[in-house]
Amino acid sequence: MSGTLADEIRSRLGDLSPAERKVARVLLAGYPAAVFETVATIAERAAVSTPTVLRCATRLGYQGFPDLQAALRAELDARNASPITLYESAGNNGPMVGADGEAPLEPQLTLLQQALAQTFHEVSLHDFETAAGFLSDPRRRVHLAGGRFTHLLARYLGLHLMQVRDQVSFLPDRDVERTSFLTQLTRRDVTVVFDYRRYEEDLTVIAELARERGGKVVVFTDPWLSPAAAHADAVLISHVASGSPYDSLAPTLALIETLISAVLDRLGGDAHQRMKDGEEVARRTGLL
C-alpha cells in the first residue's frame, strides 16, 4: 500500500455502503487511535451494528478487523523507524560482498530506480503545480526549513530559487532570530518544510504557525506523512527505499530539481534577467 491506511480508507469510501461509510468516517475522524478501539465501541460511535464494522474491514480489502489493525501497527512501526531499528530488522551483519570482492551495485541501483519511479508516478500533480505556482509568485516571500539531514535539501532548493527570484530566505538557527522570524510571518509568505521520519516536532509547529497567519505551506515528506502535512496546502511525497538503514533522499532531490525547472518555466524572462543581474553583481564583487 502506498501512503497511509487513512489514505486507503478515503480512496475506497465510494465502494462502501452508507452504513459502512459511517464506520469509515469514525475511523478517519479519530485516526489512528480509533482503529485500535474495540469493534463494539466503533459500532456504537458509528451508530451501526457490529457486523457492519466487520463488513467494512472486509470491503476495505482486509480479512477482518484484526487484519486491518495489524496493517496500522505495521504502518506506525514504519513511520517511527530509525536507522538503528531498520538495521536490526534487516539482520544486517555487514556489507554484502560480490564475487570480485566488491559490494554489489545492481541491487542498490534497482532499489533507487524503483523509489524514483514510484515517486514520480505517485506524486500529486495538483500539489506539484500548486507548489510551483507559490514558488514562482513574485508577490510572495519564500522561507525554507529542514531537519537533521533535510536542511541540506532545503538549502539546495533555496539556493536555486535565490538565483531566479527575490525574497528567498532560510529559517534562522538561533532562538531569538527564529522567534522574531516566525512572529513576522504573514499571508504573503510561503513556508517550505522538509520533514521525513523520524519527524521533528518543531517543523510541524512552524507549518502550523505559518498556516495560522494565513500563509501558504508546502511540505516535502515520505509516504508515512509528516504531521506537518496536516497544515500544508501542497504535500510532495517521495519514496525513500534504499539498501541501507538510512532512507534515500535521492528521489526527493530529483523532485526538487523537477520543481525548480517548473518554477523557471513560470518565471520566464524574469528568471533569466535575475540570473544575469546576479552574475554581474558576483563579477563586480569578485565572487566569480
Side-chain angles (χ1 to χ4, degrees):
M1 181 179 67
S2 176
T4 66
L5 176 62
D7 293 331
E8 183 80 357
I9 294 172
R10 289 190 194 96
S11 70
R12 297 194 178 187
L13 283 174
D15 300 331
L16 304 178
S17 70
E20 291 164 352
R21 276 197 292 275
K22 290 181 181 179
V23 175
R25 292 192 180 103
V26 166
L27 297 178
L28 291 172
Y31 187 86
V35 180
F36 293 121
E37 297 280 8
T38 65
V39 171
T41 299
I42 294 169
E44 182 179 354
R45 290 182 179 175
V48 298
S49 66
T50 298
T52 299
V53 177
L54 301 177
R55 283 196 299 272
C56 178
T58 303
R59 192 72 65 91
L60 290 171
Y62 296 92
Q63 294 180 0
F65 206 76
D67 190 33
L68 185 149
Q69 291 175 322
L72 179 58
R73 288 191 190 94
E75 174 190 313
L76 294 178
D77 285 344
R79 192 173 189 269
N80 296 319
S82 70
I84 291 176
T85 58
L86 291 172
Y87 190 96
E88 293 171 348
S89 65
N92 200 328
N93 295 314
M96 294 185 298
V97 178
D100 57 0
E102 296 180 351
L105 298 180
E106 285 301 321
Q108 316 304 325
L109 175 61
T110 299
L111 280 173
L112 288 173
Q113 286 175 329
Q114 291 173 345
L116 184 63
Q118 276 188 286
T119 295
F120 276 73
H121 289 158
E122 297 176 10
V123 69
S124 165
L125 292 179
H126 175 269
D127 285 21
F128 182 88
E129 294 293 330
T130 298
F134 290 158
L135 298 182
S136 60
D137 186 345
R139 298 167 298 179
R140 296 188 180 277
R141 299 181 300 189
V142 177
H143 314 299
L144 301 103
R148 289 177 293 272
F149 287 91
T150 55
H151 73 278
L152 299 171
L153 296 174
R155 293 199 69 83
Y156 187 75
L157 174 56
L159 291 174
H160 277 84
L161 292 175
M162 285 178 177
Q163 295 182 64
V164 299
R165 57 156 295 159
D166 296 325
Q167 303 187 93
V168 178
S169 62
F170 301 106
L171 186 71
D173 292 326
R174 287 190 278 269
D175 293 347
V176 174
E177 294 174 357
R178 177 173 289 205
T179 300
S180 174
F181 185 92
L182 293 173
T183 302
Q184 297 177 58
L185 291 176
T186 68
R187 295 174 60 86
R188 61 188 289 245
D189 294 301
V190 178
T191 302
V192 183
V193 171
F194 290 82
D195 194 26
Y196 291 70
R197 66 178 185 183
R198 294 172 285 176
Y199 311 108
E200 299 177 54
E201 186 177 354
D202 64 320
L203 294 173
T204 296
V205 175
I206 288 166
E208 184 179 17
L209 286 170
R211 191 65 181 271
E212 285 176 356
R213 285 160 172 73
K216 302 300 182 182
V217 178
V218 177
V219 172
F220 284 80
T221 189
D222 52 39
W224 299 281
L225 297 183
S226 158
H231 309 290
D233 298 278
V235 179
L236 300 178
I237 297 171
S238 301
H239 285 265
V240 296
S242 75
S244 83
Y246 295 97
D247 287 340
S248 172
L249 296 178
T252 304
L253 186 62
L255 191 58
I256 289 171
E257 292 182 342
T258 306
L259 182 60
I260 291 167
S261 178
V263 170
L264 279 170
D265 287 342
R266 285 163 174 75
L267 290 173
D270 290 341
H272 186 208
Q273 186 60 50
R274 179 70 170 77
M275 294 170 73
K276 289 170 63 177
D277 292 344
E279 288 271 318
E280 178 60 22
V281 169
R283 285 196 179 91
R284 291 185 62 182
T285 55
L287 297 176
L288 281 181

